[in-house]
Amino acid sequence: MVTTERKKEIIKQFGKSENDTGSTEVQIALLTERIKYLTEHFKTFKKDFNSRRGMLILIGRRRRFLDYLKTTNLDSYKKIIVDLGIRK
């Protein structure tokens, strides 16, 4: 799982302030971190289909956040795609 320290680092890197946990950029970064963790988990546990479904839900949520960010702030969208290494 994503540790509390790692979450604080992500919030510090992508947030507008240290208490900014709800901005779209921070939410996308946190979801990406959880998706990366689950991807590594599935390399070991190939038949964990319940967690796979949860990961697909997370991917859909991140996709909706990215679509929202693309319509509201295109520069921030392009920056976060590059920073997180998300393919589009």
Side-chain angles (χ1 to χ4, degrees), residues 11-12 15-21:
I11 292 168
K12 189 175 182 181
K16 295 170 181 65
S17 69
E18 294 218 1
N19 296 326
D20 178 24
T21 58

Side-chain angles (χ1 to χ4, degrees), residues 62-74:
R62 181 180 71 177
R63 178 81 264 144
R64 287 190 299 275
F65 274 127
L66 285 168
D67 290 343
Y68 169 77
L69 189 62
K70 188 175 184 179
T71 59
T72 56
N73 190 349
L74 189 60

Side-chain angles (χ1 to χ4, degrees), residues 17-77:
S17 69
E18 294 218 1
N19 296 326
D20 178 24
T21 58
S23 70
T24 308
E25 294 88 353
V26 173
Q27 294 295 317
I28 292 170
L30 289 173
L31 285 171
T32 301
E33 193 68 25
R34 286 178 64 191
I35 291 168
K36 286 180 184 177
Y37 170 78
L38 284 171
T39 303
E40 292 300 316
H41 171 79
F42 293 131
K43 290 180 181 176
T44 306
F45 303 100
K46 295 180 185 357
K47 295 185 179 182
D48 189 1
F49 298 113
N50 292 324
S51 295
R52 190 173 305 273
R53 180 178 184 273
M55 185 182 74
L56 291 174
I57 291 170
L58 293 177
I59 291 171
R61 188 181 303 162
R62 181 180 71 177
R63 178 81 264 144
R64 287 190 299 275
F65 274 127
L66 285 168
D67 290 343
Y68 169 77
L69 189 62
K70 188 175 184 179
T71 59
T72 56
N73 190 349
L74 189 60
D75 294 333
S76 181
Y77 171 79

